[in-house]
Structures are given as structure tokens and as C-alpha cells.
Amino acid sequence: MFTKGEDLANLKSNSQLLFQPEDDSFILYQKGSLRWLSFGDRAVQAVIDMDHPDIPYLPTVRLMLLARYFARYQEKAERFRVLNLGMGGASVERFFARLMPNVRLHAVEVNPALITAMQEFFIVPAETGDSGLTIFAMEAERFLKQQLDNAGADYNMIVVDHLTKSEPADVLSHCEYAASLLAADGCLAINLIPDSDEQLRDHLLAIRQYFPCVRIAGLPGYRNVVVFARLQPFETVQVSCETQGGLFNPKEEHTWLESLLVLPDKVAR
């Protein structure tokens, strides 16, 4: 059921309204077994297949999840910590709840109404207190500041999927915090939609101010660029052949890993 780009164009045609809050801050649609989230412009922000809810539907999300390999998740089953800035449709949360039941996952979403709607319509895993998932209804930057003020937390993986229209200064601010909160051998994944090659360059320059090791991936047919960033050099990774019952596609992941654009590591002066 792994999607191709043209499926998203078909998704928007003949979709039925599922839910819309009074403030019109977002809209949920349904088409067959698929439910999808829009922020009012009919752009597809998140999708869930109710027949396969744990499998990330959007290829951009699946691509970002490659960061788990760079963070060596297979070696840290009992102590893996994930921070997701921009919960959206909770694809990351459902994926890790299935892949690693003992994962410690913090999800940050600024809109409380969206959190409530996702819990009702998009099968968000239950919050479990000290372990498992915890959802924070606040701005990402406020959450990051609080984590630093509370002596920080060594996250193995940080996912940033809410900066698609932000300026390089916003990326720089998030990277400054992320570099302080990420474990030394962890990985940051950022989903960007640059308006031009020049803006992508500015984003990369901002990221490399705090992360000397960077890899870049694009998707044919999409404007998205996913950036993987580490404090330490990237290591060779082995894609798991155990698919967890179809949770991910090893062939797809291997192809993406092989096609990553490698930026020279930035040497400290």
C-alpha cells in the first residue's frame, strides 16, 4: 500500500468532509479508507489509511523515518527517545508505537483542537505518562526552551515537520535547540519545501551552523527536501529485512539510502 505521488492528486478529488472546527483552523476529509488533514488550502498535510493505520501513508514521512537508522535504533530498543515537532496526523507516533513499544516519544503540537480531533479520527496512541507517548500542546520553540531550562534531554531522534514555509532564521533557531537536546550519536530529520535553490542553500547553511554532518534526500514529483543532520559523522547503516508485518518497505528504504546527497562534513576550526 506504499503510495506514489500521483495518488495524492487523486485523493483530493471527491473527498467528503469529515470534520471542521468552528475556527476553521484545519479540515479533515475522508475518501474510502483514507482520511486526510488540510489547513484550509486543500493541500494534503497528513493522511491515514484506516485499513493500515500504523503504516505512514505519505512518502515524505517515510523518508524522514530513515533517521532512525542513523540514530542506531536497532541497538537501543529499550531506551530510544524521539521528539516530534509538529504532530500533525500522528504518523510518526503510530509508526513508533508499533515498531518499538518501549519508545519514549514526545510530540509537540500547537493547536489543542487538532490534537483532540486527531485522537478522535486518526487513531493517536494513548498517552502513558512516564513511558510511551506524551503530547505537549504548545509552540515548538517554547517546548524546546523548557527542555533546555529543565537540564535538557538526550533525544536519539528529532523530527521537524512544521517548517515548510519558514525562513532560514526559523530553521537556525530550531537547530540551535536541537543540537543541545540531541544525543551525541542521534539524528535530526527536517522536512523542507524550499521556494528556490537559493532558499534551500540558505536553509542548509543555517543547519550546518550547528550540525557539521548533513545528508539530503528529495522525492521525484515532490518539492519536499528532507535533510538529515548529525553532530558526528554518518555511519554505514544496514536496512532491516524484518518489515514488522509490512510496517515499512526495506527495498524502498534501501533505494533512498543509496540516493542520499552527501555534503562534505564540516571540519571544526
Side-chain angles (χ1 to χ4, degrees), residues 46-253:
V47 184
I48 181 174
D49 183 345
M50 298 299 289
D51 291 339
H52 307 280
D54 301 335
I55 302 175
Y57 187 88
L58 293 179
T60 49
V61 176
R62 301 200 301 272
L63 181 55
M64 283 190 294
L65 288 170
L66 287 183
R68 74 188 191 276
Y69 289 108
F70 301 130
R72 297 160 48 186
Y73 83 100
Q74 292 152 307
E75 303 172 18
K76 303 173 182 179
E78 301 299 323
R79 50 193 172 88
F80 201 68
R81 295 172 58 88
V82 179
L83 170 60
N84 184 23
L85 297 176
M87 185 183 78
S91 295
V92 171
E93 289 71 19
R94 289 189 299 274
F95 178 85
F96 274 109
R98 167 96 173 275
L99 179 70
M100 304 177 70
N102 295 319
V103 70
R104 184 73 177 96
L105 201 154
H106 288 168
V108 182
E109 173 55 54
V110 68
N111 189 339
L114 179 59
I115 295 173
T116 300
M118 291 299 103
Q119 290 170 328
E120 180 175 355
F121 297 104
F122 271 52
I123 315 180
V124 177
E127 295 184 75
T128 53
D130 293 335
S131 62
L133 173 64
T134 304
I135 302 173
F136 298 85
M138 63 176 68
E139 293 182 350
E141 192 155 326
R142 178 183 162 208
F143 174 84
L144 293 168
K145 288 179 179 178
Q146 286 187 1
Q147 290 296 96
L148 286 179
D149 291 342
N150 294 330
D154 286 338
Y155 292 106
N156 302 102
M157 178 175 161
I158 299 178
V159 180
V160 182
D161 194 20
H162 71 299
L163 289 172
T164 55
K165 294 297 183 183
S166 294
E167 296 299 319
D170 300 308
V171 176
L172 180 66
S173 175
H174 280 68
C175 286
E176 180 179 5
Y177 290 117
S180 298
L181 295 173
L182 192 67
D185 61 350
C187 186
L188 169 71
I190 305 179
N191 178 30
L192 300 170
I193 304 182
D195 292 326
S196 63
D197 290 342
E198 290 74 17
Q199 189 180 64
L200 175 58
R201 176 203 62 200
D202 292 342
H203 284 321
L204 292 174
L205 288 173
I207 293 168
R208 281 169 67 86
Q209 287 197 41
Y210 292 98
F211 290 90
C213 306
V214 173
R215 302 290 184 267
I216 307 172
L219 285 168
Y222 291 80
R223 292 173 50 217
N224 303 69
V225 176
V226 173
V227 180
F228 302 99
R230 296 191 80 224
L231 300 168
Q232 298 179 354
F234 283 79
E235 302 172 349
T236 301
V237 301
Q238 297 294 326
V239 173
S240 174
C241 293
E242 174 53 57
T243 67
Q244 297 284 321
L247 185 60
F248 57 89
N249 184 336
K251 182 178 179 180
E252 177 183 69
E253 293 190 332

